[in-house]
Amino acid sequence: GDIFSSKIRVEGLNNVVDASFGSSHSAAIANQGSLYVWGSSTSGKLGLGRFDDKECYVSSPRPVRLIAKGTTNGIVRVSCGANHSACISSQGHLYVWGSGAGGRLGLGGQNMMEQRTTPCLVRSLLHETV
């Protein structure tokens, strides 16, 4: 791929306060706490739900909704791994999604290795400061 040595503006994103870049997907938080993602949907790592195709590419930023909150606001930190993503809400709650291989999402239970295509609250950390 091409390597750019100058800044390139991502259309549709303004006032970015945090960003993270995985091997094939990216995420950014706008100043009001809205989380946006784009790139490859493999393993559910975008958090946008299931796509019909095995792999879909989202070429422009799309908002991620936190299921537990029903909102796109209140995110203060984001991190992208190779096949998973995570964010922290303003309440200190950790949400994860993407590949659960090796238990990397930290969700525990019988289905801990399954992929999650939407953000899941890590309940074991609810009473911890994240």
Side-chain angles (χ1 to χ4, degrees):
D2 295 333
I3 298 176
F4 297 96
S5 60
S6 61
K7 295 178 184 177
I8 298 174
R9 186 176 190 288
V10 176
E11 292 296 321
L13 275 180
N14 296 308
N15 303 314
V16 173
V17 296
D18 192 26
S20 182
F21 309 95
S23 60
S24 62
H25 74 298
S26 302
I29 302 170
N31 68 354
Q32 73 275 25
S34 296
L35 176 62
Y36 295 89
V37 294
W38 63 99
S40 169
S41 68
T42 302
S43 303
K45 62 189 166 192
L46 293 182
L48 299 174
R50 297 199 182 280
F51 287 88
D52 291 335
D53 297 331
K54 188 170 185 162
E55 182 169 19
C56 178
Y57 290 93
V58 175
S59 61
S60 59
R62 295 196 33 204
V64 175
R65 292 199 179 279
L66 297 182
I67 303 305
K69 296 292 288 177
T71 182
T72 59
N73 294 333
I75 304 303
V76 295
R77 297 291 311 258
V78 64
S79 183
C80 295
N83 292 301
H84 64 295
S85 303
C87 70
I88 300 173
S89 72
S90 57
Q91 295 84 20
H93 296 157
L94 176 64
Y95 293 86
V96 295
W97 59 95
S99 171
R104 72 183 79 192
L105 297 180
L107 297 173
Q110 290 180 317
N111 302 323
M112 71 176 187
M113 305 280 271
E114 289 183 2
Q115 93 178 9
R116 306 300 173 123
T117 60
T118 57
C120 296
L121 177 64
V122 179
R123 296 189 183 285
S124 63
L125 296 176
L126 272 178
H127 302 291
E128 303 294 330
T129 302
V130 179

